[in-house]
Amino acid sequence: VLKMGTLVKKQLSDALTALLDGDEKLAKKVIKRDSKVNALEVKIDEVCTGIIAIRQPAATDLRFILSLIKTITDFERIGDEAEKLAVSTRNVKEKHISEQEYHYLRSMGDMVIEMLTRTIEVIQSLDIDKAFDVIKQDQKVNDEYEKFLNYLVDRMKDKPKTIKSGLSISWSARALERIGDHLVNINEYLIYLVNGKDVRYIDLEDLEEILNED
């Protein structure tokens, strides 16, 4: 799982670089490498399924296996979103991304890469306080995404010729926002693994209270 997370992080980092630099050669590498992410998901899923069938784990062991199965599903989806960024490279390059658009995408990209880096650390340490910090960080990604969309809408109103490029770039921003959501999911699974509590669909304030009780 750590190997898969590290590969997904490279995919995301390279895809963002390809998108912002207009590097089509690097984008093609990202697209081609996505099959490795998929293969790891299948391999890990098979191992986990085998453990459940043969060993019939219970309690903490079962939570561990279930959390890993859910985690690799979200890692695979992050890989898919990274591939979307890579696919967008040529289109965004042809639209001549503006300095402000570049700033927003870079800012969002840096945020989700940091979230992914810290998530991999949480998988290693099973530190639920750090998991909560990652979950909180997603709000910053959402705020930046909202500001970016508002900027694009205003720009498209003032300059209708930018509508096509604005829609294309918003698709890339949406991929980054979705990656943040997948990372929240993973950290919620890790909290479940550690304390046995399903914290999905709980707002941040209530989640903090639950963790403080422990």
Side-chain angles (χ1 to χ4, degrees):
V1 174
L2 288 170
K3 180 180 179 180
M4 186 178 183
T6 301
L7 176 58
V8 168
K9 178 183 173 182
K10 180 168 179 57
Q11 284 288 88
L12 175 57
S13 179
D14 285 351
L16 186 64
T17 298
L19 180 71
L20 296 176
D21 293 350
D23 189 336
E24 293 183 50
K25 185 176 180 180
L26 181 58
K28 289 178 180 177
K29 288 182 179 179
V30 172
I31 294 168
K32 185 176 181 181
R33 234 174 12 224
D34 185 59
S35 61
K36 293 184 178 180
V37 176
N38 296 338
L40 276 172
E41 184 197 16
V42 171
K43 181 178 180 180
I44 297 168
D45 189 60
E46 287 177 348
V47 172
C48 290
T49 301
I51 291 173
I52 291 173
I54 297 171
R55 305 200 178 195
Q56 299 180 343
T60 304
D61 290 337
L62 181 58
R63 289 208 309 270
F64 178 74
I65 296 297
L66 293 178
S67 297
L68 290 189
I69 291 173
K70 292 180 178 181
T71 293
I72 62 172
T73 298
D74 276 282
F75 269 154
E76 190 276 332
R77 289 174 181 168
I78 293 172
D80 288 344
E81 297 297 341
E83 185 182 19
K84 287 181 185 177
L85 293 175
V87 170
S88 298
T89 296
R90 175 178 290 184
N91 199 23
V92 171
K93 180 182 179 181
E94 291 173 350
K95 299 297 189 300
H96 303 293
I97 184 170
S98 70
E99 184 176 343
Q100 190 63 32
E101 290 164 342
Y102 183 99
H103 168 76
Y104 276 117
L105 286 176
R106 170 55 70 186
S107 177
M108 287 186 66
D110 288 346
M111 287 180 188
V112 294
I113 289 173
E114 182 183 357
M115 286 179 68
L116 179 49
T117 300
R118 296 178 73 182
T119 296
I120 293 171
E121 292 173 357
V122 174
I123 293 172
Q124 291 176 301
S125 66
L126 295 181
D127 186 329
I128 59 174
D129 289 330
K130 290 182 179 179
F132 180 63
D133 288 340
V134 177
I135 293 171
K136 287 193 298 183
Q137 196 173 355
D138 184 55
Q139 187 58 53
K140 295 180 180 179
V141 176
N142 294 339
D143 291 343
E144 194 74 356
Y145 177 62
E146 191 68 28
K147 286 191 290 184
F148 190 19
L149 288 186
N150 290 335
Y151 165 79
L152 288 175
V153 170
D154 290 340
R155 187 165 182 260
M156 288 186 282
K157 284 180 180 178
D158 294 337
K159 298 179 181 179
K161 290 183 179 180
T162 65
I163 289 177
K164 282 187 176 181
S165 64
L167 291 175
S168 177
I169 293 166
S170 68
W171 194 56
S172 299
R174 174 61 175 163
L176 292 170
E177 190 272 339
R178 289 293 298 135
I179 289 171
D181 291 342
H182 288 303
L183 291 168
V184 167
N185 292 344
I186 292 172
N187 283 278
E188 288 175 344
Y189 304 148
L190 295 170
I191 290 173
Y192 167 72
L193 166 60
V194 173
N195 65 16
K197 295 178 181 178
D198 189 340
V199 297
R200 294 175 297 172
Y201 317 119
I202 296 176
D203 62 40
L204 283 174
E205 189 173 319
D206 290 339
L207 176 56
E208 187 169 20
E209 287 184 11
I210 289 172
L211 297 181
N212 287 336
E213 289 174 0
D214 296 332

